[in-house]
Amino acid sequence: MDKRIQMTTPLVEMDGDEMTRIIWQMIKDELLTPFVDLKTEYYDLGLQKRDETGDRITVEAGEAIKRLGVGVKCATITPNKQRVEEYQLHEMWKSPNGTIRAILDGTVFRAPIVIDSIKPVVKNWKKPITIARHAYGDVYKGTEYRVPEKGKAELVFTGENGASFRETVYDFECPGVLQGMYNKDSSIRSFAHACFQYALETRQDLWFSTKDTISKKYDQTFKLIFEEIYEAEYRARFEALGLTYFYTLIDDAVARVIRSEGGYIWACKNYDGDVMSDMVSTAFGSLAMMTSVLCSPDGKFEYEAAHGTVTRHYYRYLKGEETSTNPMATIYAWSGALKKRGELDGLPELVSFGEKLEEACIDTLNEGIMTRDLVGLVEEGTPRAVNTLEFIRQIRGRLERKLEA
Ligand code: NAP
Ligand code: MG
């Protein structure tokens, strides 16, 4: 009889590219299939397959997450001009993450994996800070114009049912620049729901910040929508769990974040989230330790690592050189997805497996065994740098002992 932990609903498994594709297989072989009767619906999002299918495979994977509820994704190449030549692509396919995000209407939450021996640059940070970035609209969908000469710029809106608006933006007396951007109530609402739900789920306070003192209509709308949804649908549940929702001006938020201990979710508009997530992850230590989960407003989840396919390591790997690429964030994508699947399907053994896998990772690091990227960040003890496979096998040894206990 198969003594491995059983699953009921399959996970949507999305394979990827380069070094992370190699690590993906190692994780499955060493840390998952020996212990879990892994059920997955497999989608190969490797660049070659995306090209062969005209990127239909990415859309199918997104639809599968909608249907099954939980996915786990390997890092993938977002093609640029150089990749189009390297892989002789039919087209410069769009970012798979963007495609899946659009299908799920989701918000991305990023949080660092924190260990004792790596101290954040900000010395009072004790717990992870999770950044929730609204990944739709604003400057990312903006229209820009390089104003070449003297002239008048206007903002014009023509409504379908007769609403109209026209206002001078600026009377240019010389060349300059101009930008128009937008967002939609529906997208802001989804963002708000995703944030409130994730806060309840992870039992953390939620902070939200914009610049509504300056942006009295645009940012104000974000603030009001969050407030309305919180009062109508979430306040009671937050209070029952002793959690708070807290809105503040972004300037104030930045100051508070730096002085805080961490341990909350900071929701940001698109641009703020882009910049702040890089700042927070760098201050916590390493991109290789950033986890990422996409949550949709109707409760679907996609787990992944925040980093890319680690191309430079892959080329070294192809030449037969030893690589010490950090698999932590990719392992956590799997453990996160398995825990969520276990929770949804009422499989405590699967949840417990995910937890033990994470504990085994942390124990390995705490005992000073780590990949090369982390060694330089450790302040105490004498860490030992190992290659990727050795690191994963060290985790496996600890995991086996935990599962036997
Ligand atoms: P990257 O793959 O994140 O790697 C950038 C550098 O960060 C690496 O060269 C490495 O530095 C370090 N690094 C990142 N992850 C690491 C890990 N797990 N272990 C050790 N070091 C790590 O970013 P990129 O080079 O800009 O992008 C490569 C490809 O990934 C691109 O084709 C891009 O489109 C794609 N990408 C995908 C996603 C995604 O699917 N979510 C996200 C971002 C980028 P050293 O070389 O100095 O060791
Ligand atoms: Mg960025």
Side-chain angles (χ1 to χ4, degrees), residues 387-399:
N387 67 41
T388 309
L389 188 58
E390 169 66 11
F391 181 66
I392 289 176
R393 288 196 170 140
Q394 290 278 348
I395 295 168
R396 178 175 179 165
R398 287 165 182 75
L399 175 62

Side-chain angles (χ1 to χ4, degrees), residues 8-191:
T8 44
T9 317
L11 281 177
V12 179
E13 174 186 354
M14 290 157 281
D15 210 340
D17 289 301
E18 299 191 316
M19 202 60 218
T20 40
R21 188 179 180 99
I22 308 294
I23 291 175
W24 194 258
Q25 195 59 48
M26 288 182 190
I27 292 171
K28 285 175 69 180
D29 291 345
E30 296 286 332
L31 300 176
L32 303 176
T33 51
F35 314 104
V36 178
D37 183 15
L38 204 59
K39 270 200 177 64
T40 74
E41 212 174 277
Y42 179 85
Y43 293 86
D44 184 0
L45 300 196
L47 189 49
Q48 205 179 338
K49 192 74 181 185
R50 279 182 274 149
D51 194 49
E52 272 169 37
T53 61
D55 209 24
R56 221 185 42 245
I57 188 95
T58 309
V59 175
E60 283 169 6
E63 300 291 348
I65 302 173
K66 262 193 133 150
R67 176 164 42 83
L68 294 171
V70 187
V72 55
K73 181 180 168 292
C74 178
T76 47
I77 293 169
T78 298
N80 52 18
K81 216 165 131 258
Q82 181 219 327
R83 298 293 199 167
V84 171
E85 284 157 25
E86 183 185 349
Y87 285 79
Q88 308 201 326
L89 301 177
H90 294 97
E91 252 181 66
M92 201 188 290
W93 305 110
K94 282 190 285 194
S95 148
N97 289 26
T99 302
I100 294 168
R101 203 155 55 212
I103 292 171
L104 295 177
D105 189 17
T107 298
V108 175
F109 296 83
R110 291 203 160 163
I113 302 162
V114 178
I115 58 166
D116 294 340
S117 56
I118 298 178
K119 303 269 180 265
V121 174
V122 180
K123 65 177 188 299
N124 41 289
W125 285 358
K126 304 264 181 310
K127 298 178 219 157
I129 296 168
T130 303
I131 300 265
R133 171 180 170 193
H134 181 217
Y136 180 83
D138 302 353
V139 288
Y140 301 85
K141 294 260 184 190
T143 306
E144 302 197 324
Y145 182 59
R146 171 81 176 108
V147 175
E149 59 177 3
K150 196 170 166 200
K152 182 157 85 167
E154 291 177 296
L155 189 61
V156 181
F157 174 79
T158 316
E160 215 179 45
N161 299 313
S164 79
F165 177 82
R166 174 172 230 123
E167 204 173 290
T168 302
V169 175
Y170 191 63
D171 261 315
F172 282 93
E173 72 284 355
C174 66
V177 284
L178 186 64
Q179 181 182 62
M181 63 183 197
Y182 74 93
N183 223 299
K184 303 189 294 186
D185 282 14
S186 59
S187 175
I188 302 167
R189 284 181 174 278
S190 294
F191 174 46

